[in-house]
Amino acid sequence: MSVESEFVAVRRHGTDGVVELVLDRPKAMNAVSTAMARAIGAACGELAADPSVRVVVLSSTAERAFCVGADLKERNSLSDAELVRQRPTTRGAYGGVLELPMPTIAAVHGFALGGGFELALACDVIVADETAVVGLPEVSVGVIPGGGGTQLLPRRVGAARAAELIFTARRVEAAEALALGLVDSVVAAGQDREEALALAGRMAANSPVGLRAAKRALRLGHGMDLAAGLEIEDAAWRTVAFSGDRAEGVAAFNAKRKPEWPGV
């Protein structure tokens, strides 16, 4: 089943709970216009509310790019007042991906720059192919990363490395990106989507309740001191310990059969 909007497609893969959120403005290399940002935010809202979705893969239909960031042609036409009015819409797009409650995987090829890389950084795992070029070049055009980059990049690579990358505005090719931890794996050219979907399938075989609780504990506990982090983990544990998924998982293990997760 698939649901289409003007710049985004939502495609379900079989019945295993893997859903693909596809950036679909290929003629503009997925430059994020106001309309596209609105579509991303709306799609994320629907996915977040759907308990049948276990894992989301963020991918692209553009041959040469995952996403090149903000639509600077549109931005050039906006007045200051229009830019202020646009801001909640763009924040809704990046925040929508970041706040998805289930695991998310970005399938990156070609250019993932500025807001495009920030969409990938908002995901839990980034699978890149060997053509990928990533970076946050915003200071080179007089702005700063505004889709979460100044906060998400340091959480991936540390404060000093993030500062160097943001202040120089440099682009990083796939091999170096992997070495620096900007992406999590590099695959052959053209294989990013297939590898991301395969990884999503392996994740989706596990408990939907467990996946969401584990993500919540990982996200909320990051940056906390150990004692606070353990309390967050305990709270997440309590949400799954008495769930139908926990009962089914234990029963399936003892019966040596594949679990049939109720998802509650």
Side-chain angles (χ1 to χ4, degrees), residues 48-70:
D50 187 344
S52 72
V53 180
R54 297 186 186 181
V55 184
V56 172
V57 172
L58 183 62
S59 65
S60 161
T61 60
E63 278 189 27
R64 295 178 52 222
F66 172 72
C67 173
V68 294

Side-chain angles (χ1 to χ4, degrees), residues 152-226:
L152 296 172
L153 189 59
R155 285 166 167 78
R156 265 193 166 264
V157 301
R161 179 67 69 192
E164 183 264 320
L165 292 167
I166 290 171
F167 296 162
T168 62
R170 71 184 180 95
R171 301 179 179 191
V172 182
E173 295 185 359
E176 185 185 4
L178 179 62
L180 295 178
L182 298 173
V183 302
D184 300 300
S185 62
V186 173
V187 299
Q191 295 299 306
D192 53 295
R193 177 176 175 270
E194 288 75 10
E195 290 291 336
L197 287 170
L199 177 59
R202 293 195 293 274
M203 292 179 181
N206 297 308
S207 157
V209 172
L211 288 171
R212 293 185 180 218
K215 176 166 179 172
R216 189 164 60 250
L218 284 164
R219 285 285 179 91
L220 293 178
H222 187 89
M224 295 285 188
D225 64 65
L226 179 59

